[in-house]
Amino acid sequence: MFSSNYYTLVAGLREYALDAETKGFDITEILAEVEESLSAKDWKSVELLYGYYDCENLVARHNGSTAHNALSRLSAEQIASELENPTLLPAPLAKVVRAYADPEGEDAEGVDTSLPFAVSLFAAYYELCAGSDSAFLRNWSASDCALRNVISALVARERGVAVDSVTVGGGEIVEQLHRSSAADFGLRGELSYIDALISAMDEQNMVEKERKIDLIRWSVASELSTFDYFSLDAVLAYLVRVNLVARWTLLDAKTGRQMFNKLMAELDGKQYIEEK
């Protein structure tokens, strides 16, 4: 399978700067440039990456919250509409939405509606990502799911809740989370960041806890794209980190600038990579 190279786009992304006098940069502008440069097929992978935030907003709305993550590709109005009659969501996600709207209906076949809506919806999302043409998106979604499952398991254990009621999907890591009583769930050999994550979860300052967890996500995204320079996967890896920058720019401008500078420093060396 051949992949497109986006030399001009990646070089242009390196030129973005975070204005120290503002609370953030324009993520919408970045995405607009990416969409303009990518092929229609590759843009679908970007939309799938951002589908996570659509799911996040669908869950919030389903649970009665008006909170809306602006990184979602769907507006708050569209999210509300999709819960009533999904027409914009990918088919597997739409099926889950319809199944929970009508647990006795045809769409409920194959969907365990006894589970929390969030568990079923995100399981469908991660399964969708697992079938992506993008190696980065497949690997990132699997890593992201694993990270979030470990976080959920640690919180569940602390609160005395059954771990198997909060994890998403299946596989060896999930099985290990369900059966292990070890402090690290016996995952030290499977997840390089497990000790750092456990340490982060012990942090009492909530902002610092979130910062440490996002730095783990940053590290994972960087590792997964080590040898991607100008491909779609390089763009997707960049967007994963830009999303973290966007989040922290809104929460804390100083941290946002630091993370953006870190991203720029990582990208800067790629201009010296000679094409084989």
Side-chain angles (χ1 to χ4, degrees):
M1 182 179 294
F2 295 98
S3 60
S4 301
N5 285 312
Y6 296 104
Y7 301 105
T8 302
L9 172 61
V10 173
L13 290 175
R14 290 173 53 250
E15 297 173 3
Y16 282 112
L18 191 61
D19 187 351
E21 300 303 319
T22 67
K23 294 187 67 175
F25 57 90
D26 193 343
I27 185 69
T28 303
E29 182 179 318
I30 294 175
L31 284 171
E33 181 172 352
V34 170
E35 181 176 12
E36 183 179 345
S37 302
L38 263 55
S39 67
K41 178 176 178 294
D42 285 349
W43 176 248
K44 291 293 184 182
S45 295
V46 173
E47 290 186 314
L48 182 54
L49 173 68
Y50 281 83
Y52 177 87
Y53 302 107
D54 294 336
C55 291
E56 190 176 81
N57 287 335
L58 285 165
V59 170
R61 189 75 179 218
H62 180 271
N63 292 342
S65 172
T66 58
H68 184 83
N69 190 323
L71 289 173
S72 173
R73 302 301 291 162
L74 300 177
S75 67
E77 292 75 18
Q78 288 173 320
I79 290 293
S81 178
E82 288 298 288
L83 282 176
E84 295 292 330
N85 179 31
T87 60
L88 301 175
L89 293 172
L93 304 186
K95 179 177 181 178
V96 172
V97 170
R98 286 193 294 266
Y100 277 79
D102 181 12
E104 302 300 323
E106 181 179 347
D107 285 297
E109 295 181 10
V111 178
D112 186 355
T113 55
S114 68
L115 295 172
F117 177 65
V119 170
S120 294
L121 187 66
F122 278 109
Y125 170 73
Y126 285 121
E127 186 174 349
L128 195 58
C129 290
S132 171
D133 290 336
S134 163
F136 175 82
L137 187 52
R138 293 195 303 272
N139 293 330
W140 165 253
S141 62
S143 297
D144 184 57
C145 183
L147 175 63
R148 294 179 187 278
N149 275 333
V150 175
I151 292 173
S152 295
L154 287 168
V155 173
R157 174 184 280 177
E158 181 181 353
R159 297 179 178 177
V161 175
V163 171
D164 60 6
S165 69
V166 298
T167 52
V168 171
E172 293 183 6
I173 291 178
V174 168
E175 291 177 6
Q176 192 73 6
L177 291 173
H178 291 178
R179 66 172 178 257
S180 177
S181 59
D184 65 350
F185 295 98
L187 293 172
R188 186 166 283 109
E190 297 290 331
L191 302 174
S192 61
Y193 56 75
I194 187 67
D195 289 332
L197 182 57
I198 291 174
S199 175
M201 293 298 290
D202 287 337
E203 174 64 55
Q204 297 302 305
N205 183 303
M206 293 302 294
V207 173
E208 182 63 13
K209 175 188 290 188
E210 290 297 315
R211 188 188 71 84
K212 288 180 177 180
I213 293 173
D214 275 354
L215 285 175
I216 293 173
R217 291 191 174 100
W218 185 291
S219 177
V220 170
S222 296
E223 290 175 6
L224 290 176
S225 59
T226 299
F227 300 107
D228 294 318
Y229 304 118
F230 304 105
S231 65
L232 168 65
D233 285 351
V235 176
L236 291 170
Y238 178 89
L239 290 175
V240 166
R241 288 172 287 177
V242 160
N243 293 340
L244 295 175
V245 175
R247 181 188 185 211
W248 283 98
T249 298
L250 292 173
L251 293 175
D252 180 87
K254 180 180 178 181
T255 302
R257 287 195 296 276
Q258 291 173 343
M259 296 187 82
F260 191 85
N261 289 337
K262 178 177 172 64
L263 175 56
M264 293 301 96
E266 289 181 7
L267 291 176
D268 190 55
K270 293 182 180 178
Q271 63 180 306
Y272 304 111
I273 302 296
E274 294 184 357
E275 186 179 7
K276 300 294 185 181

